[in-house]
Amino acid sequence: MESQIDMFGRLLDDLVNDGPLAKQLEENDFQFSEARRSFAKREKMPEITEADYLRIADGLLESTIQEAFGLSRGGKPYEESRLAFEWLLYDNPFDNDYPFSYRNCCKAAGVDPDELREQLTMLKQRFT
């Protein structure tokens, strides 16, 4: 079975290289041709320093915790609060490959991810 990454790669190649899917979409959607031209312009990602990464990861962790407890809206829960808390609970062994995974953000902030998760879970149960 073809992985999603492989399928996305084939789709991207088809769109950039005027493959059959690109032609079909262009025939059916006038705006597609302009979108495809801008999509085909590959931009080089700016390099960030280690200090920048640590600052971004720490900020992501802090803002997600605030969102999970509804602090960004005065304590009012809504869908984004639930999603933020799910990010804090999500644990996948493959997350080490993602620089902004929960575990990597905790490591960047100098926090034990399991201890923080346990504390946040206890707080969430207490206040909800």
Side-chain angles (χ1 to χ4, degrees):
M1 181 172 199
E2 187 175 26
S3 74
Q4 288 181 340
I5 294 172
D6 294 337
M7 288 171 45
F8 180 75
R10 284 191 314 109
L11 177 63
L12 181 61
D13 287 342
D14 188 73
L15 294 175
V16 172
N17 298 318
D18 291 325
L21 179 61
K23 291 180 185 354
Q24 182 181 2
L25 287 172
E26 196 165 333
E27 290 171 4
N28 296 323
D29 187 357
F30 176 73
Q31 295 176 344
F32 173 76
S33 58
E34 181 59 35
R36 190 183 56 165
R37 279 194 292 277
S38 65
F39 188 65
K41 297 176 190 170
R42 297 178 191 234
E43 297 178 24
K44 183 178 178 185
M45 293 294 294
E47 292 191 24
I48 62 172
T49 65
E50 183 177 353
D52 290 336
Y53 166 72
L54 294 175
R55 182 178 47 76
I56 294 168
D58 187 53
L60 175 62
L61 184 61
E62 182 180 339
S63 64
T64 304
I65 291 170
Q66 289 176 347
E67 186 69 37
F69 285 88
L71 298 178
S72 62
R73 296 163 322 286
K76 298 176 184 171
Y78 74 125
E79 179 68 10
E80 280 69 16
S81 294
R82 185 184 62 76
L83 294 173
F85 200 73
E86 284 180 9
W87 181 79
L88 297 168
L89 297 178
Y90 184 76
D91 205 6
N92 186 324
F94 298 111
D95 276 356
N96 289 333
D97 296 337
Y98 299 104
F100 296 107
S101 69
Y102 168 75
R103 286 200 170 277
N104 285 331
C105 286
C106 285
K107 290 175 187 175
V111 176
D112 179 84
D114 297 321
E115 178 67 25
L116 179 61
R117 182 178 286 134
E118 183 179 322
Q119 295 294 324
L120 292 172
T121 302
M122 287 182 358
L123 281 171
K124 190 74 165 177
Q125 290 171 349
R126 184 184 217 180
F127 292 113
T128 55

